[in-house]
Amino acid sequence: MYKIQTLNKISEIGTDVFDKSKYSISDDCANPEAIMVRSAKMHDMQFGDNLLAIARAGAGVNNIPVERCAQEGICVFNTPGANSNAVKELAICALLLSSRKIVEAASWAASLKGTPDAPKTVEGGKSKFAGPEIAGKTLGIIGLGAIGGKIANAAEALGMKVIGYDPYLSIGAALHLEPSVKIVTDINEIYANSDYITIHMPYTPQTKNTIDTDQIAMMKDGVRLINLARGELINSEAVVKAIADGKVAKYVTDFADDVVLGVENVIVLPHLGASTPESEDNCAVMAAEELIDYIENGNIKNSVNLPNASMNAVGTKICVIHKNVPTTIASITTAVGNEGINIENMVNASKKDFAYTMLDVTGDVPPTVEGKINAVDGVIRVRIIK
Ligand SMILES: NC(=O)c1ccc[n+]([C@@H]2O[C@H](COP(=O)([O-])OP(=O)(O)OC[C@H]3O[C@@H](n4cnc5c(N)ncnc54)[C@H](O)[C@@H]3O)[C@@H](O)[C@H]2O)c1
Ligand SMILES: O=C(O)CC[C@@H](O)C(=O)O
């Protein structure tokens, strides 16, 4: 029985994908084979020897020690695009919230309950909540992946001019963009030309404070900023100061911190981007399918720390996670050959410092093989899947 530990609430549609005669799922189990997680912070966790994989039911993996996991032979997956529509819809909502003073107006209207002539009062007071339309304005998007690309197309459909910046734009993502979306190669063009700026890229130590005082200074007066990606991408102190100075008109963020909470013209949402039943189901199902294919077949799809690799084997599969260094593959195949085993098929792929080799072997696989491969310099983990 494989044990799957859930660190956050994972949609039941996803956990139902596991065959319960082979898998037990619980939020409290010792030494699981796999972990399913959403936003729980895992950097300080120690992992048991059985842990083969972690699946992030979502996009961002900054809560997971991805590099350490690779060093420990733990494959980390995410679920690319599975929650992108949910975030796109919230981003469109945020664009409107940043323009039309909807939050302030609704809360003012609610405050009129019990007053003698509320209908008359609202008509008299509504002018202070007027705000501009988004049609005809320029939206700058930083990061044109699953979410940014969908927002670009939706904003175009709403009549906005869209400019996007993404130095690592994939061909697939580019092909999904409306031809009218203008792609710029200098991020400063986003800052200089946008009425609204929204950011949709991963948070890493390198992308911390991508938008800070200097970037804000390049922006148009009255710019509206949206951050549904990660709080650390935009310096909260810099934005709050720019709001006080009148440089930034509004900041809508999905990430609460003590600097932005309670500040006028900042709308803080409680990390709601992916909180739709549809996206929670999509992410959980994709995460469960990734784990099952890895645990049972050794196939890797959508890993963030190991390469994608899959193989239909005719015999036994020997799956090896190893360092991406010269002679390791040769040493592994020699170790297998020295045990009298013939390799029928082989797949090898690498991602940065790590590599994955799958061998399809026929005939008896003596129990000594695992130890022999493990003894090869650079080998991190060996699994034999019959
Ligand atoms: N608020 C939420 O609930 C929520 C939900 C989903 C995702 N997110 C966040 O949004 C981020 C993006 O999600 P996604 O699904 O679009 O991911 P994605 O991987 O599909 O797209 C990210 C894009 O950012 C680009 N990028 C990387 N570094 C960049 C840089 N320095 N400058 C500009 N672009 C850069 C990549 O090339 C890629 O195209 C996630 O990493 C996550 O942190 C938040
Ligand atoms: O799981 C969530 O609710 C948030 C997910 C989101 O931050 C992501 O990066 O996919």
Side-chain angles (χ1 to χ4, degrees):
M1 190 70 113
Y2 299 113
K3 285 181 280 178
I4 309 289
Q5 184 180 16
T6 53
L7 296 187
N8 297 99
K9 196 173 174 311
I10 303 290
S11 151
E12 222 174 282
I13 306 259
T15 51
D16 280 352
V17 173
F18 292 100
D19 176 348
K20 299 298 181 305
S21 67
K22 293 196 266 184
Y23 294 88
S24 70
I25 295 145
S26 131
D27 59 3
D28 179 26
C29 62
N31 214 357
E33 273 75 24
I35 291 176
M36 295 182 91
V37 64
R38 284 175 64 175
S39 300
K41 293 202 176 354
M42 300 181 74
H43 283 276
D44 295 332
M45 281 179 74
Q46 295 307 311
F47 303 121
D49 290 344
N50 286 350
L51 191 67
L52 297 173
I54 297 169
R56 196 317 183 194
V61 289
N62 55 302
N63 55 322
I64 303 170
V66 169
E67 176 77 16
R68 170 161 69 93
C69 284
Q71 281 158 4
E72 294 180 19
I74 300 163
C75 186
V76 180
F77 297 93
N78 72 349
T79 60
N83 57 21
S84 56
N85 192 64
V87 185
K88 173 202 80 180
E89 290 187 6
L90 192 67
I92 298 300
C93 173
L95 279 173
L96 297 168
L97 291 180
S98 76
S99 257
R100 301 289 294 275
K101 300 193 179 160
I102 297 160
V103 172
E104 301 85 336
S107 114
W108 175 69
S111 77
L112 299 177
K113 186 167 172 66
T115 59
D117 198 356
K120 190 163 168 230
T121 314
V122 294
E123 286 309 321
K126 71 180 184 185
S127 61
K128 60 180 181 285
F129 300 109
E133 297 181 18
I134 58 172
K137 308 297 183 328
T138 299
L139 171 64
I141 305 180
I142 303 172
L144 290 167
I147 297 168
K150 280 196 170 76
I151 294 168
N153 294 347
E156 286 270 351
L158 291 169
M160 299 190 85
K161 294 175 207 140
V162 178
I163 52 177
Y165 169 79
D166 188 331
Y168 316 108
L169 183 64
S170 71
I171 294 171
L175 286 172
H176 280 105
L177 290 173
E178 290 295 331
S180 48
V181 173
K182 185 179 164 201
I183 297 174
V184 296
T185 52
D186 180 355
I187 196 167
N188 294 342
E189 286 196 47
I190 299 280
Y191 301 140
N193 297 305
S194 305
D195 303 299
Y196 299 76
I197 296 175
T198 187
I199 188 161
H200 300 282
M201 65 194 223
Y203 164 57
T204 63
Q206 293 72 38
T207 61
K208 187 176 167 75
N209 291 338
T210 290
I211 295 183
D212 208 328
T213 306
D214 291 348
Q215 290 68 33
I216 294 173
M218 285 184 246
M219 295 177 190
K220 286 185 175 184
D221 291 343
V223 66
R224 292 168 159 84
L225 295 181
I226 290 150
N227 180 7
L228 307 183
R230 284 293 179 266
E232 293 89 341
L233 291 168
I234 300 189
N235 184 332
S236 294
E237 275 95 359
V239 179
V240 167
K241 179 167 186 315
I243 285 178
D245 295 346
K247 175 79 182 175
V248 171
K250 206 83 159 194
Y251 181 45
V252 184
T253 176
D254 211 8
F255 303 94
D257 67 40
D258 220 46
V259 179
V260 289
L261 282 167
V263 174
E264 195 180 356
N265 290 321
V266 179
I267 297 174
V268 184
L269 303 171
H271 200 179
L272 281 187
S275 295
T276 66
E278 295 85 351
S279 119
E280 290 176 0
D281 290 353
N282 287 344
C283 290
V285 169
M286 198 189 281
E289 287 171 348
E290 291 164 351
L291 288 178
I292 292 167
D293 201 20
Y294 183 62
I295 291 171
E296 297 187 14
N297 308 313
N299 295 332
I300 301 181
K301 190 173 174 205
N302 298 329
S303 172
V304 295
N305 63 350
L306 294 178
N308 285 341
S310 64
M311 182 167 79
N312 289 322
V314 292
T316 301
K317 265 187 189 175
I318 301 177
C319 302
V320 188
I321 299 172
H322 55 94
K323 299 235 176 84
N324 185 20
V325 288
T327 75
T328 309
I329 300 169
S331 304
I332 292 168
T333 54
T334 303
V336 171
N338 285 348
E339 296 294 295
I341 300 169
N342 187 47
I343 298 169
E344 304 285 344
N345 298 293
M346 176 170 154
V347 167
N348 170 266
S350 64
K351 188 171 197 144
K352 295 185 184 161
D353 294 341
F354 299 95
Y356 190 57
T357 296
M358 301 170 88
L359 306 175
D360 174 10
V361 301
T362 44
D364 284 343
V365 178
T368 44
V369 171
E370 190 172 333
K372 291 277 166 61
I373 303 172
N374 254 321
V376 170
D377 210 23
V379 165
I380 297 171
R381 181 170 221 156
V382 184
R383 275 203 304 148
I384 300 191
I385 302 173
K386 293 211 167 61

